Amino acid sequence: MACGPGDLQSLTSPFSSARVGTPLYFEERWFQTCGHTNIACKMVKGKLVEVGKWPWQVSILFLGMYICSGSLIHHQWVLTAAHCLQRSKDPKMYSVRVGVQSLPDNGTQLLLTRIVIHEDFHNLISQDIALLKLRDPISWSPLIQPVCLPNNRFKLSVGTMCWVIGWGHKSTGVTPKTPYSLQEVAVKIINSETCHQQYQFLFLKDQKKFIGDDMLCVSSEWGMDSCQDNSGSSLVCQVNNSWIQMGVVSWSRSCNQHRFPGIYTSTSHFTHWIKRQITDMRFISRAGPAFLSPVTLTGYILLVSLGSLWLL
């Protein structure tokens, strides 16, 4: 969708769960379900831009500077990658911005009270998942909404097309836009055994399995890939008109080397871990409508740099 004359504050995208032409801020459907969007055109610095396509996406700041992405999965919790939080474990050093379309952007800045990093995250590769607790519960709006999160039984078949959402540029050798704009890249779920074979050169001696059950492998489509500045971004798949976060951007062999799949943290693998941290969390168990109270559902994936590895 491209915004043009006459599109200002109208919901016109096929991604939208609201009616075409519905004025922005006049619907209350975002209080009922997770994984729905309310796309509109908005005037920003004299230009019409598309907003609300990925309303769960947040930017994570360290001492006021952008470091990673995250996603809203609950009215008081953000999902991201564990490797994003290596600078400090002090929640007072971090904040998140919600309702942001590009960086830098004011948006709404929220403070944190707690950081929860998976207890088995040690090698910067596996168990790459973390949660951030907001100091104050968030108020949902058309531009700030949660994504759905699958439970441990929710699986997607190999070949399923999904999207990776994040800021920053998509491959090396490309000068990033300033400001960075929120972008999406089409990807496809691939077989974990295929992924295992392609990353076999990284195996340690006597290690039988490098790509664990806590990871998802995806290949990029149309010669594009997620790259730097996208750590903690969400891998989302549309099922029955709802967006479900199946992964969090974690790492890859290197940017823009398309023969190497991207590795994502599998959100369905960590259902029980998330439930221990967020007791009122609910999850999608099948491909059907997901109705919520103020509670929501979500998932993630991440990336960073470790020698020739990029943890995005």
Side-chain angles (χ1 to χ4, degrees):
M1 165 186 169
C3 293
D7 289 332
L8 186 62
Q9 291 190 342
S10 64
L11 301 172
T12 58
S13 168
F15 286 103
S16 178
S17 61
R19 295 188 303 271
V20 171
T22 303
L24 188 61
Y25 299 116
F26 280 83
E27 286 281 329
E28 295 187 354
R29 301 172 71 172
W30 52 88
F31 292 112
Q32 300 174 12
T33 63
C34 62
H36 281 224
T37 62
N38 291 282
I39 300 178
C41 293
K42 179 181 177 183
M43 189 69 71
V44 177
K45 296 181 180 179
K47 294 183 179 181
L48 276 176
V49 298
E50 182 182 285
V51 296
K53 191 172 184 179
W54 313 111
W56 50 83
Q57 197 76 12
V58 308
S59 60
I60 301 172
L61 311 178
F62 177 73
L63 297 177
M65 298 294 293
Y66 170 79
I67 56 167
C68 279
S69 296
S71 53
L72 288 167
I73 61 171
H74 183 274
H75 60 86
Q76 209 167 357
W77 290 88
V78 169
L79 178 65
T80 189
H83 76 256
C84 288
L85 306 168
Q86 295 304 291
R87 295 167 177 84
S88 172
K89 304 301 187 295
D90 183 358
K92 295 184 177 64
M93 307 290 281
Y94 298 89
S95 60
V96 301
R97 288 193 186 276
V98 299
V100 175
Q101 185 65 29
S102 61
L103 300 175
D105 195 330
N106 290 333
T108 300
Q109 187 165 344
L110 305 173
L111 302 179
L112 306 181
T113 59
R114 189 181 173 200
I115 293 174
V116 183
I117 296 175
H118 196 281
E119 56 275 12
D120 294 329
F121 174 71
H122 303 301
N123 59 10
L124 295 182
I125 292 178
S126 62
Q127 317 297 319
D128 193 7
I129 191 168
L131 293 166
L132 307 177
K133 187 174 184 180
L134 304 176
R135 185 187 68 180
D136 303 308
I138 201 166
S139 296
W140 303 128
S141 75
L143 302 184
I144 304 173
Q145 300 176 43
V147 67
C148 298
L149 189 66
N151 74 4
N152 63 321
R153 297 183 302 276
F154 194 104
K155 306 295 181 185
L156 292 177
S157 59
V158 171
T160 299
M161 295 298 301
C162 300
W163 294 89
V164 183
I165 316 303
W167 285 282
H169 49 293
K170 299 176 183 176
S171 62
T172 54
V174 178
T175 302
K177 298 178 181 179
T178 303
Y180 288 8
S181 58
L182 194 57
Q183 302 175 34
E184 65 265 7
V185 177
V187 296
K188 180 170 61 178
I189 305 295
I190 65 173
N191 186 282
S192 59
E193 182 57 33
T194 300
C195 196
H196 175 86
Q197 293 172 0
Q198 290 182 284
Y199 279 106
Q200 193 167 6
F201 70 97
L202 290 174
F203 292 1
L204 301 176
K205 186 178 180 180
D206 301 325
Q207 185 176 8
K208 296 181 179 179
K209 192 173 184 181
F210 183 76
I211 306 300
D213 294 337
D214 62 313
M215 304 175 189
L216 280 178
C217 291
V218 306
S219 64
S220 61
E221 298 296 300
W222 305 310
M224 303 177 73
D225 197 2
S226 60
C227 194
Q228 299 178 54
D229 305 313
N230 287 317
S231 288
S233 295
S234 57
L235 171 71
V236 294
C237 310
Q238 192 174 35
V239 180
N240 290 352
N241 297 318
S242 293
W243 289 97
I244 300 175
Q245 185 170 356
M246 298 303 298
V248 182
V249 176
S250 186
W251 58 274
S252 68
R253 167 67 174 83
S254 62
C255 283
N256 209 27
Q257 295 198 17
H258 306 305
R259 63 192 183 93
F260 290 102
I263 308 298
Y264 293 72
T265 300
S266 170
T267 53
S268 62
H269 181 83
F270 292 98
T271 295
H272 297 304
W273 180 80
I274 294 173
K275 186 68 176 177
R276 289 199 303 270
Q277 319 305 324
I278 313 172
T279 56
D280 59 347
M281 189 78 185
R282 291 192 292 166
F283 302 85
I284 296 289
S285 60
R286 57 188 175 83
F291 292 93
L292 310 176
S293 51
V295 182
T296 58
L297 327 154
T298 313
Y300 268 75
I301 291 183
L302 327 139
L303 299 159
V304 165
S305 136
L306 190 58
S308 61
L309 296 180
W310 281 98
L311 299 167
L312 307 181

